[in-house]
Amino acid sequence: MFSQSSYQRIFRFFCIYDVLALAPFAIPFVNSAHLETLSSLNIALGGQAWPVFLPVQLLFGQMLGVLGTGWAIWRWRNYSVSIGRYEGILRLFFAASMLWAYALSPHPILLVFAVIDIIGGALHLVSPQRQQIRQRAA
C-alpha cells in the first residue's frame, strides 16, 4: 500500500511519461521523425526496421497522440484515486494489446512499452492508505 502522497506522485509520474511518450505523435511532421527514432531503437533492441508510414497512418497516429496527450493532461488536473484505478485498467488492456502485437511481429520495443504499462497499471490499481484522523480526548 502507498500513502496518498506516494500514490499521487506515481499518478503524476505516469501523466508526465504519457505526455513525453505521446506528444511527439500529436504534432504534424514531428510524428514521422518520432517513428523513425522508435524504429531505430527497435533495431538496437534486435528488431526490424519499421516501414515508412503512409500519410493516413500518420494521421491516425496523430489523432491517438492528441487523445493520449489530452487524457494525460486532464488526469493531471483532475487527480483522483478512481481515475487512477480506471487508468490502471486501461494500461493493462493496452499492455495486453502490445504483447499481442509483439507475439505477431519482430518488434521488441513493444515488449519494453508493455512492461512499462504493466508496471504502471499495477501501481495504479494499488489502493492508497486512507489517512487516519487522530482525535484528541478533550
Side-chain angles (χ1 to χ4, degrees):
M1 282 201 157
F2 299 111
S3 68
Q4 280 283 357
S5 61
S6 294
Y7 186 84
Q8 188 172 13
R9 279 194 295 275
I10 291 166
F11 183 94
R12 295 239 161 112
F13 171 82
F14 278 96
C15 290
I16 293 168
Y17 165 77
D18 287 343
V19 168
L20 294 175
L22 297 173
F25 287 112
I27 303 166
F29 307 108
V30 174
N31 56 4
S32 58
H34 187 56
L35 286 167
E36 288 178 26
T37 301
L38 292 175
S39 179
S40 297
L41 183 56
N42 190 59
I43 292 168
L45 293 171
Q48 295 179 357
W50 293 352
V52 174
F53 287 82
L54 298 172
V56 71
Q57 293 168 319
L58 291 173
L59 172 66
F60 280 107
Q62 183 179 348
M63 288 188 309
L64 293 173
V66 168
L67 290 173
T69 302
W71 168 248
I73 293 167
W74 182 85
R75 284 187 347 255
W76 179 280
R77 297 186 64 192
N78 296 282
Y79 164 78
S80 75
V81 174
S82 62
I83 292 171
R85 288 187 181 132
Y86 185 69
E87 174 70 13
I89 291 167
L90 290 176
R91 283 191 182 280
L92 293 177
F93 274 112
F94 193 61
S97 297
M98 286 189 282
L99 289 172
W100 178 254
Y102 171 70
L104 299 175
S105 65
H107 303 301
I109 194 169
L110 295 174
L111 185 59
V112 172
F113 286 121
V115 168
I116 292 169
D117 276 329
I118 289 169
I119 292 168
L123 290 174
H124 278 84
L125 292 174
V126 173
S127 296
Q129 293 177 350
R130 294 178 188 240
Q131 296 175 346
Q132 296 179 359
I133 301 172
R134 296 182 184 175
Q135 297 178 353
R136 288 194 241 179

